[in-house]
Amino acid sequence: MKKIINERLYDTDKAELLTIFNNGFSYSDLSFVEESLYRTNKGRYFLCCEGGPNSEYFEWDEGNRRKGKTIRPLNSAEARAWGEKHMTVEAYIKEFGEVDEA
């Protein structure tokens, strides 16, 4: 998927896929959500987000809600916060570096 946002091109084919989060619903479920975290070759992060008609990613089609797909740019802090929720510990440390132990 490609999208221009704030005069920057985000392209899932050219960026590195870091991890995928799925809410556990099947793709055919109305509440399905999948978010894929990417890093561009310039170090910028973005999510490729897809969801069913009952998700936050729905799109309108002639007055009806349908599955939708979009790209959402993230700054470094937002990417880290998303990663804390959805990445494995190993994947998070590989991408963002070591963290302090509690």
Side-chain angles (χ1 to χ4, degrees):
M1 177 177 193
K2 293 180 186 181
K3 190 166 186 169
I4 296 173
I5 302 171
N6 294 327
E7 299 182 5
R8 290 194 173 129
L9 176 65
Y10 296 88
D11 184 348
T12 56
D13 290 334
K14 293 185 178 178
E16 181 179 354
L17 175 61
L18 301 175
T19 194
I20 298 172
F21 163 75
N22 180 300
N23 68 353
F25 291 97
S26 72
Y27 185 77
S28 61
D29 192 285
L30 299 176
S31 298
F32 167 81
V33 169
E34 185 171 277
E35 298 175 337
S36 303
L37 180 64
Y38 287 85
R39 182 178 19 84
T40 69
N41 60 3
K42 292 188 176 183
R44 294 186 179 101
Y45 295 98
F46 67 94
L47 290 174
C48 183
C49 308
E50 186 171 7
N54 288 346
S55 75
E56 65 186 285
Y57 302 116
F58 77 89
E59 294 178 358
W60 287 106
D61 182 23
E62 297 182 11
N64 296 308
R65 291 165 72 139
R66 65 176 177 88
K67 290 180 183 176
K69 191 171 185 178
T70 193
I71 287 181
R72 193 174 93 201
L74 302 175
N75 63 37
S76 185
E78 291 168 328
R80 285 174 178 267
W82 187 92
E84 283 184 21
K85 290 181 182 178
H86 303 297
M87 295 173 88
T88 65
V89 170
E90 295 79 11
Y92 183 92
I93 290 171
K94 180 180 177 187
E95 181 60 28
F96 301 112
E98 293 289 332
V99 294
D100 291 335
E101 196 168 315

